[in-house]
C-alpha cells in the first residue's frame, strides 16, 4: 500500500535527519518503509519522550515527528521542552496523533507545532507537510550547517489520490 502511494513521489534534497518519537512500532515501521528507498533520509526512532528529547538535543535533526501519547512523557510536554531549549527550539515539529479534534490541533500549533496530522495519515499529505516545514526552516536559517537547503520535492502528477 505504501509503495503504491509513494511510487511517484521523489525526495530531491540533501541529507535529512528525521526523529520520530512514537511508541507504536507499527507506526514507526510504516514511516521507515516510506523512506527506505530514499537513501538521503536518516530516520531515528525514540519510543519514549525522554529518549526523544535526548536524541533531539544531541543530534539536532532537521525535523521531529511527534506522537502525543507516549509512555513516559505526554507529547505536549515533549513539544514544550523542545521549544524551551536553545538547542532544539528551531527544529520543526509535526505532531501526528489519532486525536482529530480541532481544539487539540489549534492548541498544539499555538504551543509551537509546525503542523498537526491525524492518523492514519495520507502519505502525500505527510510528505507535503514535511516539505513545507523544511523549506520554511531553510528560509529562516540561511546558511544551514549542512550547506544545502533541505526540501522534499514531490512529483505528484502521476499519483492517484490514495488515503
Amino acid at each position: 500500500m505504501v509503495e503504491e502511494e509513494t511510487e511517484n513521489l521523489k525526495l530531491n534534497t540533501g541529507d535529512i535527519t528525521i526523529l520520530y518519537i512514537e511508541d507504536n512500532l507499527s507506526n514507526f515501521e510504516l514511516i521507515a518503509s516510506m523512506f527506505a528507498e530514499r537513501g538521503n533520509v536518516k530516520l531515528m526512532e525514540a519510543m519514549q519522550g525522554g529518549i526523544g528529547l535526548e536524541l533531539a538535543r544531541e543530534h539536532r535533526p532537521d525535523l521531529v515527528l511527534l506522537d502525543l501519547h507516549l509512555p513516559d512523557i505526554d507529547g505536549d510536554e515533549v513539544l514544550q521542552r523542545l521549544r524551551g531549549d536553545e538547542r532544539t527550539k528551531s527544529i520543526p515539529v509535526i505532531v501526528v496523533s489519532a486525536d482529530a479534534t480541532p481544539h487539540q490541533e489549534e492548541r498544539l500549533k499555538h504551543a509551537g507545532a509546525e503542523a498537526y496530522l491525524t492518523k492514519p495519515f495520507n502519505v502525500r499529505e505527510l510528505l507535503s507537510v514535511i516539505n513545507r516545514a523544511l523549506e520554511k526552516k531553510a528560509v529562516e536559517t540561511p546558511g544551514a550547517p549542512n550547506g544545502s537547503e533541505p526540501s522534499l520535492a514531490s512529483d505528484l502528477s502521476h499519483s492517484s489520490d490514495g488515503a
Side-chain angles (χ1 to χ4, degrees):
M1 177 162 63
V2 172
E3 295 82 16
E4 291 174 14
E5 291 181 3
T6 62
E7 183 177 339
N8 293 314
L9 298 176
K10 299 177 190 173
L11 291 172
N12 297 323
T13 180
D15 291 340
I16 295 173
T17 300
I18 296 175
L19 171 60
Y20 189 14
I21 306 173
E22 167 68 70
D23 66 328
N24 182 310
L25 188 56
S26 295
N27 289 338
F28 177 79
E29 288 173 346
L30 173 68
I31 295 297
S33 69
M34 190 173 80
F35 291 120
E37 300 287 323
R38 297 154 177 88
N40 60 339
V41 177
K42 177 182 178 186
L43 187 62
M44 298 187 315
E45 174 191 17
M47 295 190 78
Q48 294 182 2
I51 294 169
L53 288 166
E54 289 176 23
L55 288 172
R57 290 175 189 135
E58 182 179 338
H59 296 281
R60 301 204 186 143
D62 296 296
L63 184 123
V64 173
L65 294 175
L66 174 63
D67 182 39
L68 290 181
H69 305 290
L70 300 167
D72 60 338
I73 306 171
D74 280 344
D76 299 49
E77 178 72 17
V78 173
L79 177 62
Q80 183 179 21
R81 290 184 191 182
L82 287 169
R83 290 294 159 253
D85 189 319
E86 277 298 314
R87 297 166 289 182
T88 59
K89 71 179 185 180
S90 66
I91 299 171
V93 176
I94 298 173
V95 173
V96 289
S97 176
D99 184 348
T101 61
H103 169 73
Q104 180 85 316
E105 177 178 356
E106 189 60 36
R107 185 178 64 77
L108 288 161
K109 282 184 177 178
H110 183 70
E114 185 70 31
Y116 186 100
L117 296 174
T118 55
K119 298 177 192 175
F121 38 73
N122 177 296
V123 173
R124 287 192 299 145
E125 179 184 14
L126 175 65
L127 290 176
S128 176
V129 168
I130 291 172
N131 182 37
R132 284 193 306 273
L134 291 173
E135 286 176 350
K136 181 179 175 185
K137 180 183 177 190
V139 168
E140 291 175 354
T141 55
N146 68 2
S148 66
E149 292 188 4
S151 66
L152 298 174
S154 301
D155 177 7
L156 301 176
S157 60
H158 301 297
S159 295
S160 61
D161 288 332

